[in-house]
């Protein structure tokens, strides 16, 4: 566990994110419609530097922990999460009326129409269930807990629960999130050497993840469309406006005489690559636009004013999407720009300080380790996805609430 405090995990997560974006961009058969502006690149670089500076300039002295408490904490946490998922399913299936018999689009419409039928308790459960991966990280990282077979089985079982909602709604994020949690946890806490078998397993896992992800997309988009309409739609999705597929790719995908498998593979690779790389260009578009509203935190952290609006205790807060193209994939930097402009440097500085604290406290307090894994995921996706926007902030809120509960309960977490 001592190696988790080493700087290579923090810097490595940032570097992996940057290199992944660069590699995908370089190998993608796309042409940017507008080149990245100097101001866009400067904003991204300066915010990265602020994050790194915040991490390195502070150092915290962490007291030792009571190792015996972790088993009690993990049992409480597992029961807590299971109850939250039960409440969530009651909300989805019985209050809002979603069903596996409906297609993805129908369930999404029903979910939106019947959102007001839910109550505060069910909303709270929806937020707190985001702790589902915490038991797995804790159990995997603590040797004494690995001997508790029941805890191990339950920890792995909890990782599968978000897939129920993913299948209902046709969302792919839970599959990506679980995969990332598994990878970061195995890499961070695995005490054995990397082998060919492990590398092969990792590659196979990526292939399976991509297959599941694209299968969901294809099922969602292909319903009631013939093959040519389906391919045409995928070649005309919104992010193609800024990262335009080259003509060779377009011609091949549109050519019905070509092998169906090769067309699917090509459009799959194109779609996944654009999914992760186009956010920078969406942000660049925002930077080049005139009179973009200054949202003061309401864009990235809209869940807070959204909850306030639901209470009907205060005047309604406007939550319009300020992006000129109404696209949500603006990267974390795009969201911070809309919210704080160049004051985002201060936000990233404090975020770096918080990360340093998480790294250091995780050594002695296993309850913090899942939060650390989540932060590493955020770092990787900084140039691709605004991971803390919307429901992405839920694990942070949920951990805070659970930590407070443990502090004031008879099972104090020190």
């Amino acid at each position: 566990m001592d190696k988790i405090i080493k700087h290579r995990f923090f810097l490595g997560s940032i570097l992996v994110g940057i290199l992944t974006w660069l590699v995908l961009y370089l190998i993608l058969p796309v042409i940017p419609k507008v080149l990245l502006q100097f101001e866009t690149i400067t904003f991204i670089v300066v915010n990265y530097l602020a994050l790194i500076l915040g991490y390195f300039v502070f150092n915290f002295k962490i007291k030792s922990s009571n190792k015996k408490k972790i088993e009690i904490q993990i049992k409480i946490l597992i029961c807590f999460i299971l109850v939250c998922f039960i409440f969530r399913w009651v909300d989805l299936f019985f209050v809002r009326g979603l069903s596996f018999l409906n297609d993805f689009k129908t369930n999404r419409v029903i979910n939106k129409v019947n959102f007001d039928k839910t109550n505060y308790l069910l909303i709270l459960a929806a937020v707190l269930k985001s702790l589902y991966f915490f038991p797995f990280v804790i159990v995997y990282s603590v040797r004494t807990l690995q001997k508790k077979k029941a805890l191990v089985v339950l920890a792995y079982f909890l990782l599968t629960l978000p897939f129920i909602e993913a299948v209902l709604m046709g969302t792919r994020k839970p599959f990506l999130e679980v995969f990332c949690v598994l990878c970061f946890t195995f890499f961070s806490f695995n005490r054995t050497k990397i082998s060919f078998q492990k590398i092969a397993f990792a590659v196979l896992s990526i292939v399976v993840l991509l297959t599941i992800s694209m299968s969901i997309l294809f099922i969602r988009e292909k319903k009631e469309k013939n093959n040519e309409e389906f391919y045409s739609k995928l070649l005309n999705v919104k992010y193609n406006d800024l990262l335009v597929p080259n003509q060779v790719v377009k011609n091949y995908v549109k050519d019905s005489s070509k092998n169906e498998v090769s067309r699917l593979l090509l459009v799959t690779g194109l779609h996944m690559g654009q999914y992760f790389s186009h956010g920078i260009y969406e942000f660049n578009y925002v930077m080049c636009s005139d009179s973009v509203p200054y949202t003061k935190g309401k864009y990235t952290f809209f869940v807070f004013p959204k909850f306030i609006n639901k209470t009907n205790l205060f005047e309604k807060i406007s939550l319009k999407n300020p992006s000129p193209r109404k696209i949500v994939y603006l990267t974390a930097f795009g969201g911070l720009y809309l919210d704080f402009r160049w004051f985002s440097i201060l936000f990233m500085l404090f975020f770096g300080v918080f990360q340093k604290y998480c790294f250091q406290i995780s050594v002695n307090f296993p309850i913090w380790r899942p939060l650390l894994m989540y932060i590493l995921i955020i770092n990787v996706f900084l140039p691709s996805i605004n991971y803390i926007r919307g429901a992405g902030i839920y694990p942070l809120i949920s951990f805070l609430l659970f930590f407070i509960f443990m502090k004031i309960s008879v099972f104090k977490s020190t």
Side-chain angles (χ1 to χ4, degrees):
M1 178 56 203
D2 289 343
K3 69 176 183 178
I4 200 66
I5 65 172
K6 301 298 183 182
H7 305 318
R8 66 175 178 269
F9 280 90
F10 168 73
L11 295 174
S13 63
I14 293 175
L15 187 61
V16 166
I18 295 173
L19 290 177
T20 299
W21 188 90
L22 286 173
V23 169
L24 286 174
Y25 174 72
L26 290 174
I27 65 174
L28 276 178
V30 295
I31 303 169
K33 195 169 185 179
V34 179
L35 295 178
L36 293 179
Q37 303 298 303
F38 176 76
E39 187 178 8
T40 304
I41 297 172
T42 302
F43 185 90
I44 293 172
V45 170
V46 170
N47 275 275
Y48 264 127
L49 291 176
L51 176 66
I52 294 170
L53 179 65
Y55 177 88
F56 280 102
V57 296
F58 282 88
N59 198 46
F60 299 92
K61 292 183 179 180
I62 309 296
K63 61 182 180 180
S64 60
S65 64
N66 184 342
K67 302 291 185 180
K68 295 181 180 179
K69 289 184 178 180
I70 188 61
E71 187 172 343
I72 297 174
Q73 292 172 345
I74 195 68
K75 288 178 179 178
I76 295 172
L77 183 58
I78 288 174
C79 293
F80 184 73
I81 295 169
L82 285 172
V83 170
C84 287
F85 268 102
I86 291 172
F87 275 104
R88 179 59 172 172
W89 295 332
V90 168
D91 184 18
L92 293 177
F93 291 108
F94 298 101
V95 177
R96 305 193 195 191
L98 276 64
S99 172
F100 287 116
L101 299 178
N102 300 330
D103 57 39
F104 299 146
K105 185 176 180 180
T106 301
N107 275 332
R108 289 185 174 196
V109 172
I110 293 173
N111 182 61
K112 186 175 182 179
V113 170
N114 294 332
F115 175 77
D116 290 335
K117 292 182 178 180
T118 192
N119 57 46
Y120 295 118
L121 177 62
L122 299 178
I123 291 175
L124 182 62
V127 173
L128 296 175
K129 72 178 178 61
S130 62
L131 294 172
Y132 71 92
F133 63 90
F134 275 52
F136 165 75
V137 177
I138 297 169
V139 168
Y140 191 86
S141 66
V142 179
R143 288 185 177 181
T144 55
L145 294 180
Q146 292 177 17
K147 299 176 183 178
K148 310 288 183 179
K149 299 302 181 183
L151 290 182
V152 173
V153 171
L154 283 171
Y156 276 91
F157 172 70
L158 289 177
L159 291 179
T160 67
L161 299 186
F163 298 156
I164 293 177
E165 189 169 339
V167 173
L168 271 176
M169 303 284 201
T171 54
R172 295 173 287 169
K173 185 180 177 182
F175 295 98
L176 174 64
E177 190 168 272
V178 170
F179 174 76
C180 290
V181 167
L182 288 169
C183 284
F184 276 99
T185 304
F186 291 154
F187 185 71
S188 300
F189 303 107
N190 201 336
R191 300 169 181 84
T192 58
K193 294 181 179 180
I194 296 176
S195 64
F196 172 78
Q197 290 84 354
K198 291 176 183 176
I199 295 175
F201 179 77
V203 172
L204 179 62
S205 298
I206 293 173
V207 172
V208 171
L209 174 71
L210 292 177
T211 302
I212 292 173
S213 177
M214 294 311 297
S215 295
I216 291 174
L217 174 72
F218 292 162
I219 293 171
R220 195 170 70 198
E221 299 297 339
K222 201 168 183 177
K223 186 176 178 63
E224 298 179 355
K225 293 183 177 69
N226 60 42
N227 273 359
E228 304 321 308
E229 289 176 328
F230 167 68
Y231 285 119
S232 177
K233 182 168 184 177
L234 287 182
L235 286 175
N236 289 282
V237 290
K238 290 183 178 180
Y239 42 71
N240 280 351
D241 296 343
L242 301 181
L243 278 182
V244 185
N246 64 37
Q247 198 59 47
V248 174
V249 171
K250 286 183 177 180
N251 292 340
Y252 192 91
V253 173
K254 290 179 179 179
D255 190 347
S256 58
S257 66
K258 300 295 184 182
N259 180 271
E260 183 72 11
V261 174
S262 63
R263 293 170 74 196
L264 276 173
L265 288 174
L266 180 58
V267 80
T268 296
L270 177 67
H271 177 82
M272 295 302 296
Q274 287 175 301
Y275 182 83
F276 285 103
S277 60
H278 84 101
I280 292 288
Y281 286 89
E282 294 291 348
F283 172 39
N284 186 64
Y285 187 90
V286 171
M287 292 286 279
C288 296
S289 302
D290 297 324
S291 303
V292 177
Y294 183 17
T295 53
K296 301 178 181 178
K298 291 188 296 182
Y299 181 78
T300 300
F301 307 105
F302 74 88
V303 294
F304 297 108
K306 184 178 180 180
F307 179 78
I308 292 172
N309 285 347
K310 189 168 178 60
T311 65
N312 294 317
L313 297 176
F314 305 94
E315 183 179 348
K316 295 288 185 181
I317 302 171
S318 176
L319 294 175
K320 294 181 180 179
N321 187 344
S323 175
R325 279 172 39 81
K326 305 305 177 186
I327 300 291
V328 297
Y329 297 107
L330 296 174
T331 78
F333 303 108
L336 291 175
Y337 176 79
L338 290 173
D339 284 330
F340 309 118
R341 294 299 194 266
W342 288 90
F343 286 107
S344 63
I345 296 172
L346 293 176
F347 176 89
M348 293 299 277
L349 184 72
F350 287 119
F351 188 42
V353 174
F354 176 67
Q355 290 200 31
K356 182 61 168 289
Y357 180 76
C358 287
F359 268 88
Q360 293 188 325
I361 197 172
S362 294
V363 175
N364 292 326
F365 293 86
I367 198 74
W368 283 79
R369 294 174 188 175
L371 191 61
L372 179 60
M373 295 300 103
Y374 194 68
I375 286 173
L376 292 176
I377 293 173
I378 292 173
N379 286 349
V380 168
F381 287 104
L382 283 175
S384 303
I385 303 171
N386 192 351
Y387 215 83
I388 59 174
R389 186 174 188 266
I393 198 72
Y394 288 174
L396 303 179
I397 299 172
S398 300
F399 175 75
L400 175 62
L401 294 177
F402 182 76
F403 188 76
I404 292 173
F405 167 75
M406 294 302 294
K407 279 286 189 180
I408 64 177
S409 71
V410 294
F411 307 104
K412 291 183 179 179
S413 58
T414 70

